[in-house]
Amino acid sequence: MTDAQTGAVLSLNNLKAGYGQTEILHDLSLHVNPNEIVAVIGPNGAGKSTAMKSVLGLLNIREGSVVLNGEEITDTPAQKVIEKGISYVPQTNNVFVNLSVQENLEMGAWTRPRGVEARIAEMYDLFPDLAEKRHQAAGSLSGGQRQMVAMAKALMVDAKILLLDEPTAGLSPKYRGEIFSTIQKIKHTGVPILIVEQNAKQALGVSDRGYVLVDGANRHTGTGEGLANDPEIARMFLGGGH
Amino acid sequence: MWDAYLFEFVNFYLIPGLVLGCIYALGAIGITLTFGILRFANFAHGEIMMSGAYITWTIMTLLGAAGIVLHPLVALPFACIFVVGLFLLCDRWFYKPFRKAETIKIVIASFGVMLIIRSAVQVIWGPNQIAFVRGISQPNAWLRDVTGDMGAMIIMPNKHLWIFAGTIVIVIALSYLLNKTRTGKAMRAVSDSPDLAHVTGINVETVIKATWIVGGICATAAGVFLVMDTQTLETTMGFRMLLPMFAAAILGGIGKPYGAVFGGLVIGLAEELSAYPWIGTAPLLSPGYKTGVAFAIMVVMLIVRPQGLFKGRAF
């Protein structure tokens, strides 16, 4: 385990964490290497989103550590974590609905000292649909476009890693495909991605590696393809595999 | 067309209604911003207004004794510095400790702050009324003559012209701040979603400070405009303004500054126009019930349309 983490961009090591008195993560370890998309899948309530929030310092970590590029950032407040280069897209409520697309991107750049305009232009290249809607309120966009805004907003900092919490939840299949192909495009810009997903099959399809989380601990680990083809996992999470 | 009735209606009801509306609007901006960004109803807002008026009067009086006669609008920016300082101290001492607690605690804290400020003002300046400006204010002669020549005479004292001008300048400046500056956009972002602002890396405490600064400036202006209009300082004036200001904020949709401006104008007009002899020759409502009008509007709004008159984006 420890060997695998050398050189990892982000690693969560034997985390025990939860809200208040409730412990949700009992023993979670995972890591993301450079140029990797890593998917975390698992049933509802397994602690997938909690794992992400623990990186952001949004809940109590009792034991274990979070390490970013060799630097321990366990229990660091969200604002500092973001300054260090972790971008996070929450599952819901992930854009400022009353702000325009452009203003959302500007807010995403809050911790970025300079080069905001140039970065915004890069984001419009990466998400061409957003360029023409730049002056529209983000709340007036469709679910898929909002998700694009949320990802672009998160990428406004020079992200060392992008955390996506269920980016395709509630989206139509068309948009789901678009989001997953965008995720691959982001990977090619050199940003590794940790993604938590309900749509396990599609997520594993684009991922280099995956973790299956059950009851706050990792149960299976493997390559994206390997997990997707594992009959046991198929039966458990991928919707009635044969 | 411009008969005696219309002359009376415009000069004695419509214009005073708009003047009152401007004062409510400026007060309501602070209330609605505090609600949008800090998520609580600040009961001390009226008292902040009142203390701003007292400080302005003190600056004018002290300098007056030294032979320097200041217009209230010149003393106003200096008073703003004191009031903003007061707001920031209140936040540091009384509100910040409750930031993560249930809302009711911070609301009660603001109620306490209200009593502290009012008592402090009574200790320092005494509980009795103070004349802010003496004498009867004459209508602006130029405006009277020009409009008189056009056959629609407007008699408006200079103080009302200043109040209109001051309100317009502040609202334009606020609109610039909220739409064009980084801090203003962050204020709207925090108002939109504090949690998302937090995980976006926005420094929410800085935004809160900016909110107190903007609210403090608007509140001081509202307090000074109020005493310019009534010419009297009273320690209870802030509390009396609280209900109509809340009514204005709710009417415009709580959390929406432009809504608050609109709501303030409507409440001010409604209060004044309720005393107009719409039927017969007696006032429709005795002027003593003016405050009741704001209260009635607030209650009806909360029942019928609690989200305010405007749908969606009025920020």
Side-chain angles (χ1 to χ4, degrees):
Chain A
M1 201 76 214
T2 330
D3 290 0
Q5 289 155 25
T6 331
V9 177
L10 179 74
S11 64
L12 281 61
N13 308 306
N14 305 102
L15 274 193
K16 287 190 186 191
Y19 303 93
Q21 296 301 311
T22 324
E23 185 174 290
I24 295 172
L25 302 178
H26 304 299
D27 181 18
L28 174 73
S29 295
L30 61 85
H31 66 276
V32 181
N33 293 320
N35 296 312
E36 253 191 347
I37 298 178
V38 173
V40 177
I41 62 168
N44 271 328
K48 303 189 298 294
S49 298
T50 311
M52 256 181 198
K53 287 179 184 159
S54 68
V55 176
L56 270 292
L58 296 176
L59 41 79
N60 302 328
I61 295 178
R62 303 228 168 84
E63 274 178 45
S65 64
V66 180
V67 176
L68 175 71
N69 283 330
E71 182 192 358
E72 177 160 357
I73 57 162
T74 319
D75 279 329
T76 307
Q79 203 198 334
K80 288 274 177 327
V81 172
I82 288 148
E83 279 172 22
K84 287 180 191 297
I86 293 186
S87 312
Y88 167 58
V89 180
Q91 180 184 348
T92 53
N93 187 14
N94 53 18
V95 294
F96 297 113
V97 290
N98 290 318
L99 270 60
S100 70
V101 170
Q102 175 95 7
E103 287 168 339
N104 266 281
L105 299 189
E106 288 171 19
M107 288 300 109
W110 187 262
T111 57
R112 186 188 183 90
R114 64 188 73 82
V116 175
E117 288 305 315
R119 187 65 176 164
I120 289 178
E122 282 172 37
M123 285 302 118
Y124 287 146
D125 285 344
L126 191 60
F127 303 94
D129 286 0
L130 300 184
E132 57 196 77
K133 313 222 176 230
R134 66 180 76 189
H135 296 302
Q136 280 190 29
S140 70
L141 303 181
S142 70
Q145 288 169 334
R146 272 195 214 199
Q147 200 63 42
M148 300 284 181
V149 175
M151 292 203 288
K153 171 181 156 298
L155 287 170
M156 283 302 296
V157 293
D158 281 320
K160 297 202 173 72
I161 183 167
L162 177 64
L163 311 184
L164 299 173
D165 192 350
E166 305 220 5
T168 67
L171 294 187
S172 66
K174 172 181 166 273
Y175 272 122
R176 248 184 264 160
E178 208 169 310
I179 296 280
F180 281 120
S181 67
T182 310
I183 289 170
Q184 281 170 310
K185 268 201 269 175
I186 294 171
K187 176 191 160 180
H188 291 305
T189 67
V191 181
I193 296 161
L194 178 65
I195 172 174
V196 157
E197 257 299 339
Q198 288 279 342
N199 296 312
K201 199 161 210 162
Q202 259 179 310
L204 291 172
V206 301
S207 300
D208 298 291
R209 287 188 304 115
Y211 293 88
V212 180
L213 220 65
V214 179
D215 291 335
N218 30 343
R219 173 81 58 89
H220 301 276
T221 311
T223 62
E225 206 182 341
L227 288 176
N229 296 328
D230 185 316
E232 191 194 346
I233 289 160
R235 202 180 57 247
M236 281 170 74
F237 311 117
L238 305 182
H242 298 289
Chain B
M1 185 59 210
W2 189 261
D3 54 16
Y5 290 111
L6 202 54
F7 171 82
E8 188 188 326
F9 178 79
V10 170
N11 287 301
F12 303 139
Y13 294 91
L14 191 65
I15 291 175
L18 287 173
V19 168
L20 193 60
C22 286
I23 296 165
Y24 289 160
L26 290 175
I29 287 171
I31 285 180
T32 216
L33 283 177
T34 313
F35 193 90
I37 290 164
L38 289 111
R39 313 260 151 181
F40 77 98
N42 184 8
F43 278 95
H45 201 79
E47 257 46 42
I48 292 279
M49 257 175 78
M50 178 269 286
S51 64
Y54 271 84
I55 292 167
T56 303
W57 176 77
T58 306
I59 293 172
M60 289 165 62
T61 310
L62 290 177
L63 289 174
I68 306 165
V69 180
L70 281 192
H71 190 274
L73 292 184
V74 179
L76 175 62
F78 298 99
C80 283
I81 296 170
F82 283 93
V83 172
V84 166
L86 183 64
F87 247 152
L88 293 176
L89 277 182
C90 285
D91 184 61
R92 185 68 199 80
W93 289 342
F94 304 116
Y95 300 147
K96 202 176 174 189
F98 298 110
R99 204 86 89 209
K100 297 210 161 49
E102 307 91 275
T103 310
I104 187 65
K105 289 184 180 162
I106 195 162
V107 171
I108 298 295
S110 81
F111 204 82
V113 170
M114 173 182 94
L115 297 176
I116 292 171
I117 295 176
R118 194 190 309 159
S119 306
V121 168
Q122 286 173 344
V123 167
I124 298 169
W125 285 282
N128 299 324
Q129 288 190 356
I130 299 173
F132 184 73
V133 187
R134 289 177 201 284
I136 298 163
S137 47
Q138 297 292 334
N140 183 297
W142 179 83
L143 183 67
R144 182 195 58 206
D145 293 345
V146 169
T147 53
D149 288 345
M150 289 174 359
M153 189 191 282
I154 305 283
I155 49 168
M156 242 175 119
N158 283 334
K159 62 183 187 184
H160 286 171
L161 292 170
W162 283 120
I163 291 171
F164 283 147
T167 306
I168 290 167
V169 167
I170 290 173
V171 171
I172 290 172
L174 179 75
S175 155
Y176 179 82
L177 173 87
L178 290 174
N179 291 303
K180 299 287 177 211
T181 70
R182 189 171 128 97
T183 307
K185 289 175 193 173
M187 286 169 70
R188 289 164 49 213
V190 174
S191 169
D192 198 317
S193 168
D195 291 341
L196 182 61
H198 186 62
V199 297
T200 303
I202 293 173
N203 189 334
V204 177
E205 284 299 319
T206 307
V207 171
I208 288 174
K209 283 202 184 77
T211 308
W212 290 126
I213 292 169
V214 174
I217 291 170
C218 292
T220 313
V224 172
F225 290 172
L226 178 63
V227 292
M228 278 168 73
D229 187 30
T230 64
Q231 307 192 179
T232 311
L233 287 161
E234 276 178 284
T235 56
T236 53
M237 61 182 245
F239 186 67
R240 266 190 279 118
M241 301 300 280
L242 202 58
L243 180 69
M245 290 190 305
F246 268 107
I250 289 165
L251 186 65
I254 193 101
K256 297 171 182 165
Y258 301 140
V261 173
F262 178 81
L265 291 173
V266 170
I267 299 282
L269 279 174
E271 286 194 1
E272 291 296 328
L273 297 186
S274 70
Y276 184 74
W278 294 101
I279 307 162
T281 53
L284 184 69
L285 271 179
S286 158
Y289 291 114
K290 269 185 197 172
T291 315
V293 174
F295 190 66
I297 292 175
M298 184 167 82
V299 171
V300 170
M301 280 306 289
L302 286 175
I303 294 170
V304 178
R305 218 179 143 77
Q307 72 274 39
L309 284 180
F310 302 105
K311 194 165 159 276
R313 198 179 177 193
F315 207 133

